[in-house]
Amino acid sequence: MMKNIIIGITAHVDSGKTTLAEGILYKTGVIRKPGRVDDGNSVLDTDSIERERGITIFSSQAEFYVNDTHFTLLDTPGHIDFSAETERTMCVLDYAILVISGTDGVQSHTATLWKLLKKYEIPVFIFVNKMDLIGADKSYIIGELRKRLSLSCADFSGNDDEIAENSATVSEELMEKYLSSGELTSFEIAEAIKKREVFPCFFGSALKINGIDEFIDIIERYTLSKRFGNDFGAKVYKISYDSKGSRLTHMKITGGQLKMRDEMHYSDSDGNEYSCKISSVRFYTGEKFKTADYADAGEICAVTGLIGTYPGQGLGFEKNSDRASLEPVMTYRVILPKEKNRSEALNEFRILEDQDPMLHILWNEDSKEIHLQLMGAVQTEVLTKLVLEKYGYEVSFADGAITYKETIRYPVEGVGHYEPLRHYAEVHILLEPIPRGSGLVFSSVCPEDDLDRNWQRLILTHMAEKSHIGVLTGSAVTDMKLTLVSGKAHLKHTEGGDFRQATYRAIRQGLRNAESVLLEPYYDYELEVPTENVGRAIADLQQMSAEFDAPVNMGDNSLIKGCAPVSEIGNYQSEVISYTRGKGRLSFNIAGYKECHNTNDVIVMIGYDCDSDVENSADSVFCSHGAGYIVKWDEVYDNMHLPLYLEQKEEQSSTANSEKARRLVEKAVSDEELMEIFERTYGKINRDPVRAFKKTKAVSVEDKKVRLPKYDGPDYLLVDGYNIIFAWDDLKKIAEENLDAARGELINRMCNYQGYAGCELILVFDAYKVKGKHRDVEKYCNINIVYTKESETADTYIERVSHELSKNHRVRVATSDGTEQMIILGNGAMRISAEEFRKRYRVAEKAIHEFIDSL
């Protein structure tokens, strides 16, 4: 039975990816002579612009056969500006070939590609190229692959016994089989590769056709076909146009069979319904193709006859792909020839956008201008030639600017009311910040008894259908969860359009009331410079507000890694070449969006006036005496018809806090501690706070083991004592005069908080303030106080204990130490910043105070 494998080839630019693809096609008899990228005659770089520039811009397809295996090879772009094309292709791959330069090793964009391959769970074969060049060291490269990519990278360049042994060393499952039987079958190794437990590494020279025969044999022997169902499914990964202008939809068949003249039913990206017939089925190799009557499951094909399709679209049972990880970071204004009709040009650019969804087209209605969002400057050069070739006129680009985004810092409830005469709708939407890179998430918690399900579905549709913009710069909003919390309709007067208006206004009103945060794109970069230029490089990076690790010495050169704002480091390459006299190298890849480093400057530069933006109004429309009137956004809360959801939640929370305080005080009364709590609450402490720290009752963990609670025991809270003291202003002020007094005050507060929260509280102090050979653990009132050993920091103790406790308990750690927070998250615990912990303490203190006042 013929084995069907779709394998993609990807790499950092200039690693020899296309040269390897040419070598594979040559060795399998597809082409008579391998093409050269430099000569502009490679089979897979079919576009004239690709051949002229010597880089792959569009993914291309070729077929070849090895024994009983049919391979479809997809060549993808290596340049960072076209990495979105690479990501789209990954959703249809069975396997991937990652090409590494033997002289350059793992580069910045290589690491990005590795993350994408992990995201899409694609098994990977690694081909280390250019091993014929001076400086290519096999043992060094293997070590770097294991360090930078995965410990499961295994050398497959030996004989069968060596391959089996090397595979066993990187996989526990294979090791057990190898030790028990003394051998591994090809199928067992292939299964481990498919599960991403082993990453085969091979070494050669694509340009000199060295090692390619052996590599082809490896990918044929160690790949396995997928099994597919009978129901039809397909995933679209690319849209293109042939030389005659026919629209091609490139897809992978993931189930059943696709036949010519089959009728397809689907929706486009805007939700419009389509019903189209397949007019032809094509299988491409470079520019050439062969037609067929059908395409089977597991095959890649291009079909004509479909309109409205788009990359990432699922057909049949397939679902649409999630939002791409890589997004455009630059915005350019298109300058058209004076005689060119702008509406016509806009339609032509829409066709280009159809082929490349990462080419975002924006139409400015006021200035009648076309704006594009792109990954980088190279794309503008390619677009200039693309427009000239396809449409016969020249364009240029101006005002290359950063694509900013906006989010919010804290939750807020937005209200939109729309009630002109004979219309009615009110919508309340909760806007909440979510982690960076999450995009927008929509949901509803509104009871159907309050608002009918159909109205709720309509509101959710309106939330998602519009590109909402922020109030700082008019940039698109992101990283928020928008939740419909309540709404109201009128039995007679509500229409669908009313909820559209109310929804838009609610989101906008929420943004006006929120604390907005401006985000900008960042690059992860690698800067390699001669060691004597390190001082200059670090000074430049600091000036660019870049983050960086300590330089790593690499002989005569030093390597600096970190992240920096795209706006600052994007044009730094020319400076590096200048001050290093051509010896320096800068490479980077998209790291995502982070908080803007110069927010005020950007806001002033953009000059967006949200009050003048009538297309995105935050005001509401109410009705009085038969006429509608406008209510400004900051007065909507005083006129709305429904209560605020957040106020109701706060009342419920207040009731719960009072109940907690009541239980605490009752417990304190039973323990004869009411007077002590009362004195601490009102500051009447008639004892020396330092006495609390006499370690007469201290228990050394060397003498007595700490008994951890069982799985069903309480929650744990670990508090970094000195971190909290110096983060809370009032305690910091006390500590400046008397550190012991500050510790005493913190311990008293933690006793109160523990009684209120009901958790097991461990307060940790560094040994550098309280000297002692051994670690001391002291039980004081209802909390545990730990004084670390003289050579042990609080961070170290908390990291270890949180790791152990998290196995069976819910653990929180209160600290504002950035490094410690990251380690805590890695240990499975949850972190609370010092500021957030202070808020929680104040809630507890207020609840206790109010309850005692009521006695």
Side-chain angles (χ1 to χ4, degrees):
M1 183 178 176
M2 182 67 71
K3 184 169 67 171
N4 240 335
I5 301 294
I6 298 171
I7 191 163
I9 184 165
T10 187
H12 186 100
V13 67
D14 293 333
S15 295
K17 169 183 56 62
T18 301
T19 306
L20 176 61
E22 295 284 320
I24 291 173
L25 296 180
Y26 169 67
K27 282 295 187 178
T28 52
V30 177
I31 56 178
R32 294 183 179 180
K33 180 182 178 182
R36 288 286 307 275
V37 174
D38 295 339
D39 296 340
N41 61 354
S42 56
V43 175
L44 294 174
D45 285 343
T46 58
D47 193 276
S48 61
I49 302 172
E50 293 179 309
R51 290 175 173 172
E52 181 181 331
R53 294 191 63 91
I55 60 173
T56 302
I57 297 173
F58 309 104
S59 63
S60 52
Q61 171 184 335
E63 295 181 298
F64 63 91
Y65 292 84
V66 183
N67 298 326
D68 292 329
T69 303
H70 168 228
F71 283 97
T72 302
L73 179 67
L74 299 180
D75 187 19
T76 64
H79 197 285
I80 185 174
D81 281 11
F82 307 99
S83 50
E85 179 90 1
T86 302
E87 182 175 3
R88 287 197 301 274
T89 306
M90 286 185 180
C91 67
V92 297
L93 298 182
D94 298 325
Y95 291 86
I97 299 170
L98 178 62
V99 184
I100 306 288
S101 169
T103 54
D104 296 322
V106 178
Q107 298 168 274
S108 58
H109 191 49
T110 311
T112 300
L113 294 170
W114 187 259
K115 291 176 184 177
L116 291 175
L117 291 166
K118 182 179 181 181
K119 172 185 174 181
Y120 293 103
E121 298 180 343
I122 300 171
V124 183
F125 291 85
I126 298 173
F127 186 88
V128 182
N129 193 25
K130 303 183 181 181
M131 291 302 294
D132 57 315
L133 300 182
I134 297 174
D137 185 333
K138 179 179 175 180
S139 59
Y140 172 78
I141 290 292
I142 277 286
E144 188 178 43
L145 293 176
R146 289 175 176 165
K147 180 181 178 182
R148 301 279 303 277
L149 299 183
S150 172
L151 292 173
S152 298
C153 292
D155 185 358
F156 269 53
S157 57
N159 57 38
D160 289 350
D161 291 337
E162 290 172 329
I163 288 174
E165 185 177 339
N166 291 340
S167 299
T169 59
V170 299
S171 168
E172 291 185 11
E173 185 178 340
L174 292 183
M175 178 62 79
E176 291 177 4
K177 293 178 180 178
Y178 186 72
L179 291 175
S180 62
S181 64
E183 62 179 7
L184 292 174
T185 66
S186 294
F187 179 76
E188 289 171 335
I189 297 174
E191 273 197 321
I193 294 171
K194 190 173 183 179
K195 295 176 184 175
R196 288 176 52 89
E197 294 174 358
V198 176
F199 298 104
C201 301
F202 209 84
F203 301 82
S205 170
L207 184 61
K208 296 188 176 180
I209 316 294
N210 291 338
I212 292 184
D213 281 326
E214 295 84 353
F215 184 62
I216 292 171
D217 178 61
I218 289 290
I219 61 176
E220 191 273 330
R221 288 171 57 196
Y222 296 111
T223 50
L224 300 174
S225 286
K226 288 186 176 181
R227 294 182 178 179
F228 300 96
N230 295 323
D231 294 335
F232 174 74
K235 179 59 68 82
V236 178
Y237 73 95
K238 177 183 173 182
I239 303 296
S240 68
Y241 290 79
D242 65 12
S243 57
K244 296 181 180 179
S246 299
R247 189 177 192 272
L248 299 174
T249 300
H250 300 257
M251 64 178 73
K252 176 185 179 181
I253 311 303
T254 57
Q257 191 179 70
L258 179 68
K259 298 178 181 178
M260 192 168 62
R261 297 189 182 86
D262 276 353
E263 189 164 357
M264 308 292 293
H265 303 279
Y266 54 91
S267 301
D268 66 8
S269 56
D270 295 323
N272 301 313
E273 298 289 334
Y274 285 91
S275 181
C276 301
K277 282 188 178 181
I278 303 294
S279 55
S280 70
V281 178
R282 303 179 183 180
F283 294 92
Y284 273 85
T285 294
E287 290 181 303
K288 299 178 181 179
F289 66 88
K290 61 182 180 181
T291 59
D293 293 331
Y294 59 88
D296 285 322
E299 293 185 319
I300 289 278
C301 66
V303 302
T304 57
L306 302 183
I307 59 174
T309 48
Y310 57 93
Q313 181 179 21
L315 300 174
F317 67 79
E318 280 284 354
K319 295 182 179 179
N320 296 337
S321 298
D322 294 333
R323 189 170 61 97
S325 302
L326 305 174
E327 299 182 77
V329 297
M330 302 293 291
T331 301
Y332 295 86
R333 178 168 57 90
V334 180
I335 301 176
L336 298 169
K338 292 181 179 179
E339 67 277 5
K340 182 63 181 178
N341 181 280
R342 297 188 179 188
S343 298
E344 184 181 323
L346 179 61
N347 292 332
E348 290 165 347
F349 272 94
R350 293 289 186 198
I351 293 175
L352 296 177
E353 183 183 31
D354 190 23
Q355 298 177 61
D356 184 1
M358 296 306 290
L359 174 63
H360 291 182
I361 307 296
L362 306 173
W363 173 251
N364 189 314
E365 186 64 38
D366 295 332
S367 61
K368 306 295 182 184
E369 291 177 335
I370 302 172
H371 292 253
L372 305 178
Q373 289 182 350
L374 306 173
M375 293 293 287
V378 177
Q379 268 186 297
T380 63
E381 299 176 28
V382 171
L383 272 174
T384 301
K385 295 182 179 178
L386 202 60
V387 171
L388 181 61
E389 284 188 1
K390 284 199 168 190
Y391 305 118
Y393 60 91
E394 291 188 358
V395 297
S396 56
F397 300 89
D399 303 336
I402 299 299
T403 301
Y404 292 94
K405 294 189 177 183
E406 296 183 30
T407 187
I408 57 175
R409 200 176 300 280
Y410 304 112
V412 66
E413 183 173 343
V415 178
H417 189 98
Y418 188 70
E419 191 188 359
L421 187 62
R422 294 190 178 88
H423 293 269
Y424 185 93
E426 181 164 304
V427 172
H428 290 226
I429 296 174
L430 178 62
L431 285 66
E432 300 172 281
I434 54 179
R436 295 285 180 264
S438 302
L440 295 178
V441 178
F442 308 99
S443 66
S444 174
V445 295
C446 180
E448 291 184 17
D449 292 341
D450 296 344
L451 189 64
D452 187 76
R453 180 185 299 182
N454 291 331
W455 289 130
Q456 292 194 36
R457 288 176 177 171
L458 184 63
I459 292 170
L460 290 172
T461 299
H462 292 324
M463 283 188 198
E465 71 188 1
K466 183 181 180 182
S467 178
H468 303 284
I469 63 173
V471 298
L472 299 178
T473 60
S475 303
V477 296
T478 187
D479 300 339
M480 286 193 294
K481 182 179 182 181
L482 279 64
T483 306
L484 172 64
V485 292
S486 61
K488 188 176 180 181
H490 192 280
L491 288 175
K492 291 174 59 178
H493 299 313
T494 299
E495 298 177 358
D498 299 345
F499 274 114
R500 177 187 292 109
Q501 286 291 332
T503 301
Y504 291 173
R505 294 168 190 269
I507 295 173
R508 189 68 172 172
Q509 197 261 354
L511 292 172
R512 292 299 301 266
N513 280 288
E515 181 182 342
S516 293
V517 178
L518 187 64
L519 305 176
E520 67 176 333
Y522 270 66
Y523 279 145
D524 282 333
Y525 66 85
E526 290 186 1
L527 175 60
E528 185 178 340
V529 296
T531 302
E532 64 265 22
N533 296 128
V534 167
R536 162 70 188 271
I538 289 178
D540 288 348
L541 292 171
Q542 289 175 332
Q543 190 173 359
M544 291 186 288
S545 301
E547 301 172 12
F548 52 87
D549 300 328
V552 178
N553 187 270
M554 301 173 64
D556 294 335
N557 290 352
S558 292
L559 181 66
I560 306 173
K561 297 180 183 178
C563 65
V566 172
S567 60
E568 300 288 346
I569 203 171
N571 299 317
Y572 187 53
Q573 177 72 53
S574 57
E575 284 190 49
V576 173
I577 294 173
S578 175
Y579 72 73
T580 63
R581 297 180 181 178
K583 298 178 181 179
R585 178 177 63 86
L586 175 66
S587 60
F588 39 67
N589 56 274
I590 298 297
Y593 277 76
K594 298 184 180 182
E595 190 164 340
C596 185
H597 76 287
N598 59 337
T599 297
N600 292 334
D601 294 341
V602 173
I603 292 174
V604 172
M605 176 188 71
I606 294 178
Y608 174 71
D609 184 2
C610 54
D611 289 319
S612 302
D613 189 351
V614 294
E615 296 293 324
N616 296 279
S617 175
D619 303 334
S620 283
V621 180
F622 286 80
C623 187
S624 178
H625 304 295
Y629 64 98
I630 300 293
V631 172
K632 297 298 291 181
W633 63 271
D634 54 349
E635 299 175 359
V636 172
Y637 289 150
D638 298 327
N639 292 270
M640 61 190 181
H641 293 176
L642 294 171
L644 282 175
Y645 172 81
L646 286 179
E647 285 187 355
Q648 292 176 308
K649 293 285 288 184
E650 190 175 333
E651 290 175 4
Q652 295 172 5
S653 176
S654 178
T655 303
N657 289 342
S658 298
E659 179 62 22
K660 281 186 179 180
R662 184 189 63 79
R663 288 199 302 268
L664 169 63
V665 173
E666 286 179 354
K667 178 183 176 183
V669 171
S670 64
D671 293 340
E672 298 181 351
E673 294 179 353
L674 178 58
M675 185 56 69
E676 187 176 333
I677 292 175
F678 184 86
E679 290 177 349
R680 285 203 300 270
T681 302
Y682 291 94
K684 298 178 181 179
I685 301 175
N686 297 320
R687 58 188 174 84
D688 183 359
V690 180
R691 288 187 61 192
F693 297 93
K694 288 186 177 180
K695 294 182 282 298
T696 53
K697 297 181 181 180
V699 180
S700 172
V701 292
E702 319 289 354
D703 304 321
K704 183 177 179 180
K705 293 184 179 179
V706 178
R707 294 185 178 180
L708 298 177
K710 295 181 180 179
Y711 180 73
D712 57 353
D715 295 349
Y716 274 80
L717 173 64
L718 280 73
V719 180
D720 188 337
Y722 290 118
N723 186 280
I724 296 300
I725 285 175
F726 291 106
W728 292 7
D729 291 340
D730 55 341
L731 291 180
K732 182 179 179 181
K733 189 174 181 180
I734 297 173
E736 290 172 354
E737 298 179 2
N738 189 327
L739 185 59
D740 288 340
R743 277 204 313 271
E745 177 63 22
L746 178 62
I747 286 183
N748 285 333
R749 294 184 184 185
M750 293 302 98
C751 290
N752 278 351
Y753 184 80
Q754 190 283 332
Y756 170 82
C759 59
E760 286 290 329
L761 194 149
I762 302 174
L763 181 58
V764 185
F765 290 106
D766 276 323
Y768 79 92
K769 294 294 183 183
V770 181
K771 299 292 183 182
K773 183 178 180 182
H774 302 293
R775 184 188 309 115
D776 291 325
V777 180
E778 178 179 309
K779 185 77 173 180
Y780 177 75
C781 291
N782 49 353
I783 67 173
N784 291 294
I785 305 172
V786 175
Y787 302 91
T788 64
K789 292 186 290 186
E790 195 164 333
S791 59
E792 181 183 41
T793 65
D795 296 354
T796 306
Y797 178 83
I798 289 173
E799 289 160 17
R800 186 178 66 257
V801 172
S802 65
H803 175 72
E804 291 298 322
L805 291 178
S806 294
K807 295 177 181 177
N808 300 306
H809 298 274
R810 185 181 179 187
V811 179
R812 290 186 175 88
V813 179
T815 179
S816 286
D817 186 312
T819 304
E820 188 179 349
Q821 288 180 352
M822 295 300 296
I823 297 172
I824 289 162
L825 290 172
N827 288 344
M830 291 172 283
R831 62 181 175 87
I832 308 172
S833 68
E835 181 60 30
E836 176 63 24
F837 186 43
R838 183 174 182 83
K839 291 178 182 177
R840 297 188 184 193
Y841 169 73
R842 283 175 173 170
V843 170
E845 183 183 45
K846 181 181 177 183
I848 296 170
H849 191 289
E850 290 175 350
F851 187 80
I852 291 177
D853 281 349
S854 68
L855 294 178

